[in-house]
Amino acid sequence: MTAKTYGLGFLISSVVAVLIVIAIVVVGEYTKTRGRFLLSALMVEGYFFCSLGPIWVAERRPESMVSRVAIGAAVVALLLLLIGLWGTPNSDAFWKSTAIVTILALVLAFLAVVDSEAGRLSLSVQAKAVGLATLIGCVGIAGGINWPPYWWVFTLAVIAWVTTVTIPAIGYVARRIQRC
């Protein structure tokens, strides 16, 4: 698969989601099945959107294992979400594992983009911050931790990651504005 194919898949699933909404409006009735079709289209759209970065990296750097693992995790997350939507399992363990796999897929997609240049991932402060937040979040979900201080630490880790991603972006925009 290529990035262009994934971009096309994203556009097609977006169009399908819009068509489903139009059908719901025209018919004037929202049913559980139509809602599931809409959510399925949105999930597939999300899959293509989140996998676009790792596919691009896989094209650019075929030796990158992170992009391959990210694509695999995204496929597994999509399948679990679709099984959960259509099969409606009532298992707490199923939904916890689905949440963990989905979080890992999203984080791996981010890490794959960071890994677009060789050696950049190991030096990235953003990768370390998101890794810490992911570890704390996944352990908290798996263990069913309801202790508020634990989730405060998780919140601080997420804030640290957002800060480490935002500051370089703001610096880049500021430099671009100064050049103009």
Side-chain angles (χ1 to χ4, degrees):
M1 300 293 280
T2 65
K4 288 181 182 179
T5 308
Y6 267 69
L8 183 62
F10 174 73
L11 289 175
I12 290 171
S13 51
S14 299
V15 169
V16 168
V18 169
L19 291 175
I20 292 170
V21 169
I22 290 171
I24 290 171
V25 170
V26 168
V27 171
E29 183 180 18
Y30 175 84
T31 63
K32 194 175 189 179
T33 303
R34 288 186 188 124
R36 285 180 177 172
F37 277 121
L38 177 60
L39 280 175
S40 295
L42 292 174
M43 286 179 196
V44 171
E45 180 181 7
Y47 161 76
F48 280 118
F49 181 74
C50 291
S51 297
L52 194 55
I55 286 290
W56 175 77
V57 172
E59 282 182 343
R60 188 172 174 189
R61 282 192 60 225
E63 71 276 4
S64 172
M65 287 302 295
V66 178
S67 62
R68 293 181 192 164
V69 172
I71 294 165
V75 169
V76 172
L78 175 64
L79 290 175
L80 286 172
L81 288 168
L82 290 173
I83 289 168
L85 176 64
W86 289 96
T88 60
N90 200 13
S91 168
D92 191 41
F94 174 83
W95 288 111
K96 282 183 178 184
S97 53
T98 300
I100 290 170
V101 170
T102 304
I103 289 168
L104 290 175
L106 292 171
V107 169
L108 284 168
F110 170 75
L111 294 177
V113 173
V114 172
D115 192 41
S116 62
E117 294 176 18
R120 190 169 152 203
L121 185 61
S122 62
L123 300 174
S124 173
V125 175
Q126 295 93 346
K128 292 174 178 104
V130 76
L132 176 64
T134 302
L135 177 69
I136 293 170
C138 290
V139 168
I141 291 169
I145 298 174
N146 292 326
W147 191 46
Y150 182 88
W151 293 106
W152 277 104
V153 172
F154 169 76
T155 303
L156 292 175
V158 170
I159 290 171
W161 171 65
V162 169
T163 302
T164 61
V165 169
T166 306
I167 289 175
I170 291 172
Y172 175 77
V173 169
R175 286 190 302 273
R176 296 285 293 183
I177 290 173
Q178 287 176 352
R179 289 182 193 159
C180 293

